[in-house]
Amino acid sequence: MFVDTVCRFCSSCCPVEAEVVDGRLVGARRKSFLDPDKRLSCAKLAAAPEIVYSPARLTKPLVKKEDGSGFRESSWDEALERVVAAFLRHRQASGPQSVAWLRGMAADWGAPWDYPNRLMHAFGSPNTIGNGSICFVARDFAHTYTYGSMAFPEAKNAKCIIVWGKNDGNTALGAAESIHWAKEHGAILIVIDPVQTALARKADIWLQIKPGHDGLLAMAMINEIINHNWYDTKFIDQYTVGFEQLRQVAARYPAEQVADLLWLSVEEIKEVARLYATVKPGTIIDGNGLDMHREVFDTTRAVAMLRALTGNLDQPGGDVLPQPVPVRNIQLKQRLSDSVIPITCEYSLFNTFSETWGNQVQGCLVDAILTEKPYPLKMVVVQSGNPLVTMADATRTRAAFAKLENLVVIDMFMTETAQLADVILPASSCFEKTQLNRSSIRNNPIILQNAVIAPQGDSWPDWKIVFELGRRLGYGGDFPWQTAEEAIDYQLEPAGVTVADLRTHGQAGIRLEPLKHQKYLERPFNTPSGKVEFFSRRLAEAGFAGVPFEHGLGGDPISFADQEGEYPVLGISGSRDIRFTNSQFRTIPSLLREGAGCVVDIHPDDASRQGFAEGDRVGIASPKGAIEMRARLSTVVRPGTIRLAWGWGDFDPRASLNLLTEDDHRGPVSGTSTSRSFRCRLYRV
Ligand SMILES: Nc1nc2c(c(=O)[nH]1)N[C@H]1C(S)=C(S)[C@@H](COP(=O)(O)OP(=O)(O)OC[C@H]3O[C@@H](n4cnc5c(=O)[nH]c(N)nc54)[C@H](O)[C@@H]3O)O[C@H]1N2
Ligand SMILES: Nc1nc2c(c(=O)[nH]1)N[C@H]1C(S)=C(S)[C@@H](COP(=O)(O)OP(=O)(O)OC[C@H]3O[C@@H](n4cnc5c(=O)[nH]c(N)nc54)[C@H](O)[C@@H]3O)O[C@H]1N2
Ligand code: SF4
Ligand SMILES: [Mo]
């Protein structure tokens, strides 16, 4: 039997067809617009049965033994009652806000955010926290403040594609297929990346930019486009505000002045600006290479402005604004008392830019535990995340989690984070649970992720865990649903669509309205002015730069690293392997076997100067800590820079990359710190 569903082993949410025999998952294949023999294959998906039936899966609730020596199995009843008792105890002693719920990326960025938000809001805590300040949410915020929502690249129909800090061949196969297809049909491909990725090798132009300097490049390109009158005058006159302010600020960053700083040539910058502005339609695929820098908000606003300036916004083959589905907002935010501020209160614009996200500055959680400001946190529930490995400054993060009075972890596998928990709740995998796919919330069409097999062992789907906790905490009226289907039907009621409808429509999902472009002809942009905002009054009035980089570069010593002194090397964190997602899947033998490695890429010139050979164990030290990895000599990086493998902290705690990164200096708007690059030095082990 073949069942349509959505894979959630990474954030790409590929539509897949799962093959089920006698109730067992035996395989799954990605779907795509390409013929089956042309489709990119995913190692993680190929290993789906191995992941789902892995002996390393958590299949029973675990509670820490009374003497602290490891865990013992428990019933769901006992485990949930312990969690509920801790919630109530902390609310009684320190207020509901002393309990936080931390979400990693794995349980979906979309619909299921609603469930823990609903639970926490009913309980009275504003602290549902995610890692969006370093993942894509800060970028979403920048798009939203520029033209009302995040735009999606329509790369397949583009004639000019800029891939900017993204590596889709390893991280988003559907997007990679569109890029390859467009290139084969004549599109120009430009890649902006400090590392020579496979896409960079395929590109017509590759800009090997200095890490963390993308905002300046965007401003130089804006300046170039304005100076040559390559902008779309009609669009700018009718649909934008602040063009003159943008022109003046961009004039401070001409290519001639910034090229050296960016490690690029003046000609390269000018050529990329010319191609993007004149070869239409053009799309910019921006990625996580831009995100994990404290300037991400201004950088990605400047990139967003390039789309509008050139008239590529909401055009076929350009960057298209979404057509959101009307979904019932079930978050119960109105239940929160105004007098209880969230721990992320410093970032109030970021907290409120979206109705559906929780609060996204994960570092504030660590601050609140350690400094007890704005108030102490006593208990954290971690759902689908592994912060001890994935959060910047792992030493500080560990100290914070160790200080908690209660830690509950909801996960499929044992992790470094779960090791510190007092209760671990076993979660079902994406093939064992029904939920809305995230694009349902953000855009047409509505697609369902289907449970194709029963939950393994005594694991529960995330929704069931949240609903049951809600009922046991006394919010049975808010959590009346016994199945995921009932909850989804309730949410989708305004759209007039049910789970049963979605199942009949299968993979294509249900599109409520046809795909439209140039929607601004009919309705204003979702910004305060109703136009694209090159200048944001909202930001200026809140004391931030109204135009990106109008106050200069912010003087960040990390992302604008000087590469001198005790730490002369610029580290880039880190390469994502198609076989693994962040810290996940290192317990899966077939994924680990095929030559996967926890390696640091070092330029051969640097290696020979320091006497390193291929395969040597190398120490890497930063002001925050030290780790070890195996050397791979490679010209994908420039001399003076290294690239480290990402996500190996569970497999080998000595290779936990975030022991090197910092979370001390955060961008003022989105609270993002620069953990994508850092200063370091290499030594022999
Ligand atoms: N296989 C796999 N897939 C994944 C994940 C995974 O871990 N493994 N993670 C998922 C998640 S959570 C996310 S957010 C996405 C992220 O996926 P992507 O957005 O593709 O992000 P990365 O692969 O981290 O980085 C993209 C590129 O940015 C480059 N880069 C690094 N620093 C800079 C810089 O300063 N400037 C520029 N221009 N480029 C830079 C890197 O060299 C890299 O090639 O992938 C998702 N998909
Ligand atoms: N230095 C450095 N730091 C980074 C990054 C980087 O590139 N470099 N990337 C950053 C980015 S973009 C992100 S998004 C974060 C990721 O940070 P996390 O979200 O903490 O990363 P993961 O390792 O993917 O952890 C997901 C956990 O959820 C579990 N899980 C999987 N599926 C489910 C499920 O359905 N339900 C439940 N309950 N659990 C499940 C997995 O077993 C795993 O333990 O890391 C960030 N940190
Ligand atoms: S890229 Fe692979 S792991 Fe990620 S959603 Fe698609 S099939 Fe699943
Ligand atoms: Mo992410």
Side-chain angles (χ1 to χ4, degrees):
M1 182 173 71
F2 292 92
V3 189
D4 290 327
T5 186
V6 173
C7 173
R8 285 280 325 156
F9 285 156
C10 83
S11 44
S12 298
C13 303
C14 293
V16 299
E17 185 182 62
E19 186 177 359
V20 180
V21 176
D22 295 335
R24 252 185 107 74
L25 178 75
V26 297
R29 277 171 296 277
R30 290 184 57 251
K31 297 204 163 182
S32 112
F33 65 95
L34 292 172
D35 293 335
D37 60 317
K38 295 244 168 69
R39 285 179 202 167
L40 295 175
S41 61
C42 173
K44 298 184 285 312
L45 187 65
E50 208 184 334
I51 294 171
V52 166
Y53 302 115
S54 164
R57 281 279 299 270
L58 296 169
T59 52
K60 284 256 177 228
L62 299 174
V63 299
K64 188 143 272 167
K65 288 189 191 152
E66 279 62 27
D67 62 3
S69 64
F71 297 91
R72 66 173 169 80
E73 291 184 355
S74 84
S75 65
W76 273 98
D77 207 41
E78 182 193 350
L80 290 172
E81 281 310 312
R82 277 177 181 249
V83 177
V84 166
F87 262 86
L88 297 177
R89 192 169 62 245
H90 294 301
R91 181 165 66 184
Q92 176 81 26
S94 318
Q97 67 277 20
S98 66
V99 181
W101 189 291
L102 178 66
R103 306 235 335 155
M105 72 99 226
D108 194 335
W109 274 111
W113 262 99
D114 294 332
Y115 304 153
N117 269 342
R118 185 174 176 89
L119 175 70
M120 293 303 279
H121 293 160
F123 177 72
S125 172
N127 294 319
T128 319
I129 309 287
N131 57 25
S133 60
I134 48 170
C135 190
F136 79 101
V137 183
R139 178 161 31 106
D140 181 336
F141 180 28
H143 284 239
T144 302
Y145 263 52
T146 310
Y147 33 66
S149 52
M150 194 167 197
F152 293 88
E154 205 179 278
K156 191 174 164 239
N157 300 322
K159 287 290 163 226
C160 179
I161 299 175
I162 300 185
V163 176
W164 203 330
K166 202 150 195 296
N167 189 17
D168 288 323
N170 285 6
T171 59
L173 296 184
E177 286 174 341
S178 295
I179 297 170
H180 295 318
W181 198 92
K183 175 112 180 73
E184 278 161 26
H185 289 77
I188 293 170
L189 177 62
I190 297 162
V191 171
I192 305 172
D193 199 305
V195 177
Q196 191 184 33
T197 59
L199 270 180
R201 277 193 288 281
K202 203 181 158 89
D204 299 284
I205 299 179
W206 166 42
L207 298 190
Q208 194 175 17
I209 193 167
K210 183 174 180 184
H213 287 59
D214 302 272
L216 289 194
L217 173 61
M219 293 307 281
M221 286 170 64
I222 290 172
N223 180 57
E224 196 61 23
I225 289 168
I226 294 178
N227 283 344
H228 286 89
N229 293 322
W230 286 328
Y231 53 92
D232 185 328
T233 324
K234 220 174 112 204
F235 181 81
I236 283 164
D237 287 349
Q238 288 186 32
Y239 298 109
T240 70
V241 293
F243 176 74
E244 186 48 31
Q245 285 111 309
L246 177 64
R247 192 187 64 73
Q248 286 176 22
V249 175
R252 289 192 236 148
Y253 302 104
E256 290 77 3
Q257 204 169 304
V258 299
D260 282 353
L261 210 58
L262 304 183
W263 293 346
L264 299 174
S265 74
V266 174
E267 294 69 35
E268 282 176 310
I269 298 173
K270 293 192 170 212
E271 180 63 355
V272 166
R274 185 185 70 80
L275 287 169
Y276 175 64
T278 58
V279 180
K280 299 277 183 70
T283 188
I284 301 177
I285 306 179
D286 50 10
N288 201 231
L290 304 184
D291 293 338
M292 295 167 56
H293 298 278
R294 59 174 284 184
E295 308 76 12
V296 53
F297 185 62
D298 269 3
T299 297
T300 50
R301 273 171 78 215
V303 172
M305 289 175 192
L306 277 167
R307 301 185 176 100
L309 199 61
T310 51
N312 277 309
L313 187 64
D314 219 18
Q315 298 287 351
D319 296 286
V320 182
L321 291 170
Q323 293 162 258
V325 169
V327 170
R328 181 171 278 135
N329 186 339
I330 60 162
Q331 301 209 350
L332 300 180
K333 230 176 208 163
Q334 66 280 8
R335 296 265 185 95
L336 288 176
S337 152
D338 286 342
S339 62
V340 182
I341 52 170
I343 50 170
T344 52
C345 52
E346 215 181 316
Y347 306 100
S348 56
L349 293 183
F350 194 30
N351 289 343
T352 52
F353 93 94
S354 155
E355 274 185 9
T356 50
W357 296 137
N359 299 323
Q360 295 291 339
V361 188
Q362 207 176 222
C364 292
L365 185 106
V366 171
D367 296 351
I369 300 168
L370 291 175
T371 67
E372 311 200 343
K373 288 190 184 110
Y375 43 76
L377 276 187
K378 303 286 187 186
M379 169 170 179
V380 175
V381 179
V382 176
Q383 179 194 13
S384 67
N386 188 10
L388 258 68
V389 173
T390 58
M391 276 190 74
D393 197 346
T395 309
R396 189 165 181 268
T397 305
R398 181 174 286 277
F401 277 79
K403 187 182 166 190
L404 284 169
E405 287 179 24
N406 289 99
L407 175 64
V408 177
V409 170
I410 308 173
D411 206 297
M412 288 163 59
F413 291 96
M414 184 54 95
T415 63
E416 285 284 295
T417 306
Q419 293 285 1
L420 287 188
D422 25 65
V423 178
I424 305 175
L425 303 176
S428 305
S429 80
C430 57
F431 289 98
E432 297 153 47
K433 64 188 176 200
T434 296
Q435 58 181 36
L436 273 179
N437 184 30
R438 83 166 174 209
S439 52
S440 319
I441 292 267
R442 296 172 64 79
N443 202 358
N444 275 291
I446 313 173
I447 294 176
L448 196 67
Q449 174 187 315
N450 266 312
V452 302
I453 50 168
Q456 290 308 292
D458 204 5
S459 71
W460 283 12
D462 289 84
W463 61 262
K464 184 172 170 184
I465 297 172
V466 177
F467 294 1
E468 189 55 30
L469 274 176
R471 287 190 280 266
R472 287 174 187 244
L473 280 164
Y475 308 110
D478 297 320
F479 292 95
W481 313 295
Q482 296 303 319
T483 62
E485 287 81 353
E486 286 169 33
I488 297 172
D489 281 348
Y490 177 71
Q491 273 191 281
L492 283 181
E493 211 168 49
V497 170
T498 64
V499 171
D501 300 335
L502 290 168
R503 291 213 165 114
T504 343
H505 281 75
Q507 198 70 71
I510 293 179
R511 190 173 261 294
L512 294 185
E513 42 177 54
L515 178 66
K516 286 189 203 150
H517 297 92
Q518 293 186 298
K519 296 177 281 290
Y520 51 83
L521 298 175
E522 292 162 21
R523 52 175 181 264
F525 288 95
N526 188 21
T527 58
S529 63
K531 300 192 171 190
V532 174
E533 302 202 342
F534 293 134
F535 166 81
S536 165
R537 184 168 305 282
R538 254 189 308 191
L539 288 170
E541 282 174 1
F544 304 116
V547 173
F549 299 105
E550 73 174 317
H551 302 151
L553 308 181
D556 180 3
I558 305 294
S559 65
F560 296 99
D562 57 8
Q563 288 184 285
E564 281 167 6
E566 202 187 335
Y567 301 103
V569 177
L570 188 52
I572 302 173
S573 144
S575 52
R576 296 178 195 270
D577 189 308
I578 188 68
R579 284 163 289 203
F580 309 110
T581 301
N582 303 315
S583 72
Q584 300 181 60
F585 305 134
R586 270 74 176 187
T587 53
I588 306 302
S590 74
L591 295 177
L592 202 56
R593 202 164 47 228
E594 294 158 24
C598 175
V599 294
V600 49
D601 290 307
I602 306 176
H603 194 280
D605 293 354
D606 290 341
S608 72
R609 200 167 41 246
Q610 290 203 264
F612 296 131
E614 178 85 20
D616 278 358
R617 207 149 170 93
V618 173
I620 305 136
S622 82
K624 285 290 177 189
I627 63 168
E628 294 174 16
M629 287 187 180
R630 295 220 167 274
R632 178 165 68 187
L633 307 198
S634 168
T635 54
V636 298
V637 288
R638 278 181 203 272
T641 61
I642 56 171
R643 178 183 63 166
L644 298 95
W646 159 233
W648 289 85
D650 273 338
F651 179 78
D652 178 1
R654 285 170 308 172
S656 195
L657 174 40
N658 277 322
L659 287 167
L660 302 177
T661 56
E662 67 110 10
D663 197 17
D664 306 337
H665 306 90
R666 297 192 191 129
V669 188
S670 68
T672 308
S673 55
T674 297
S675 49
R676 177 58 83 165
S677 43
F678 48 87
R679 286 179 290 174
C680 58
R681 69 186 156 79
L682 304 181
Y683 58 95
R684 285 189 154 281
V685 177

